[in-house]
């Protein structure tokens, strides 16, 4: 059986398409960051949907692109600490380096691991269905777990001032903040939205790219 190698033109076209898709997903993250689409603020806590384009990148372009998009998400999350994020403002006032780590590193790892989870699941998903849902669910869970883990690890002994606690809805310690996010409505809503949108958009785009 004779195999054919892709022509240089096809290779270039594939690379160009990958760059364009990555650029578009990056632009979507930026738009979501600086508009109400990306962050829904509920008192001192925030619900973010920016993990969705990271998940889409994970299922269409793999772990490397997903890690890059996670890094973009992390950088924009850090910028939000100086643009009205209640928790981010408090954390940055305590330690900017630690705040940067909490915002950036967990998002890079979440993107990378989401891509790896999808690749592992896709090998066993012959019909190409549940692996996309697994990517959406894992992306949301990883983002939440890694962020809260880093927050608890680096700020575990911090108690907020009365003014800071008031801005966070009465939460006066990092531990209570972590528990509040984990047990509150943020994580479940993010999980559902990421699972539905991330898997649906990712699968649709994957099918479209294959046909092309």
């Amino acid at each position: 059986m004779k195999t054919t190698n892709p022509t240089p033109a096809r290779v270039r076209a594939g690379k160009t398409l990958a760059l364009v898709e990555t650029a578009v997903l990056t632009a979507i993250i930026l738009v979501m960051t600086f508009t109400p689409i990306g962050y829904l603020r509920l008192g001192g806590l925030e619900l973010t949907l920016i993990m969705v384009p990271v998940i889409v990148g994970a299922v269409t372009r793999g772990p490397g692109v997903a890690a890059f998009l996670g890094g973009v998400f992390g950088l924009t999350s850090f910028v939000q600490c100086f643009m009205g994020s209640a928790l981010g403002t408090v954390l940055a006032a305590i330690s900017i380096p630690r705040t940067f780590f909490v915002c950036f590193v967990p998002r890079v790892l979440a993107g990378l691991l989401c891509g790896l989870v999808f690749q592992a699941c896709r090998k066993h998903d012959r019909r190409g269905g549940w692996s996309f849902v697994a990517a959406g669910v894992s992306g949301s869970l990883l983002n939440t777990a890694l962020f809260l883990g880093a927050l608890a690890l680096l700020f575990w002994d911090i108690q907020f001032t009365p003014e800071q606690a008031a801005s966070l809805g009465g939460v006066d310690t990092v531990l209570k903040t972590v528990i509040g996010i984990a047990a509150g409505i943020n994580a479940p809503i993010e999980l559902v939205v990421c699972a539905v949108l991330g898997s649906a958009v990712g699968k649709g785009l994957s099918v479209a790219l294959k046909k092309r």
Side-chain angles (χ1 to χ4, degrees):
M1 182 175 172
K2 188 176 180 180
T3 59
T4 58
N5 295 320
T7 63
R10 283 181 176 271
V11 172
R12 287 196 298 271
K15 290 181 178 180
T16 300
L17 182 61
L19 289 173
V20 170
E21 185 184 340
T22 303
V24 169
L25 290 172
T26 299
I28 290 173
I29 290 174
L30 294 175
V31 170
M32 293 179 72
T33 297
F34 300 109
T35 63
I37 300 173
Y39 290 94
L40 176 60
R41 292 190 168 93
L42 304 171
L45 303 180
E46 297 173 348
L47 186 154
T48 178
L49 307 180
I50 302 180
M51 195 63 195
V52 172
V54 179
I55 294 169
V56 173
V59 302
T60 58
R61 290 301 169 190
V65 169
F68 169 79
L69 294 171
V72 176
F73 175 19
L75 289 174
T76 60
S77 176
F78 179 66
V79 171
Q80 285 292 311
C81 296
F82 308 94
M83 297 184 63
S85 168
L87 178 59
T89 299
V90 171
L91 296 179
I94 297 169
S95 172
I96 289 180
R98 280 186 284 173
T99 301
F100 178 80
F101 184 96
V102 168
C103 292
F104 183 74
V105 175
R107 273 60 188 261
V108 174
L109 292 176
L112 175 65
L113 294 174
C114 178
L116 293 174
V117 167
F118 176 74
Q119 286 186 343
C121 292
R122 191 68 181 88
K123 293 178 181 178
H124 305 284
D125 182 19
R126 295 180 180 179
R127 296 186 178 181
W130 62 267
S131 58
F132 291 89
V133 177
V137 172
S138 66
S140 177
L141 288 176
L142 285 165
N143 176 54
T144 300
L146 291 170
F147 172 78
L148 293 182
L151 179 61
L153 179 64
L154 296 181
F155 291 92
W156 67 272
D157 58 342
I158 298 299
Q159 182 155 357
F160 303 136
T161 65
E163 292 78 14
Q164 292 172 335
S167 70
L168 295 172
V171 179
D172 58 359
T173 66
V174 168
L175 180 59
K176 290 181 180 178
T177 301
V178 170
I179 294 174
I181 295 174
I185 64 173
N186 291 47
I189 293 177
E190 287 182 12
L191 178 62
V192 171
V193 173
C194 287
V196 174
L197 288 183
S199 59
V201 176
K203 183 174 182 179
L205 190 53
S206 294
V207 171
L209 290 172
K210 272 189 177 180
K211 288 182 178 180
R212 185 184 181 283

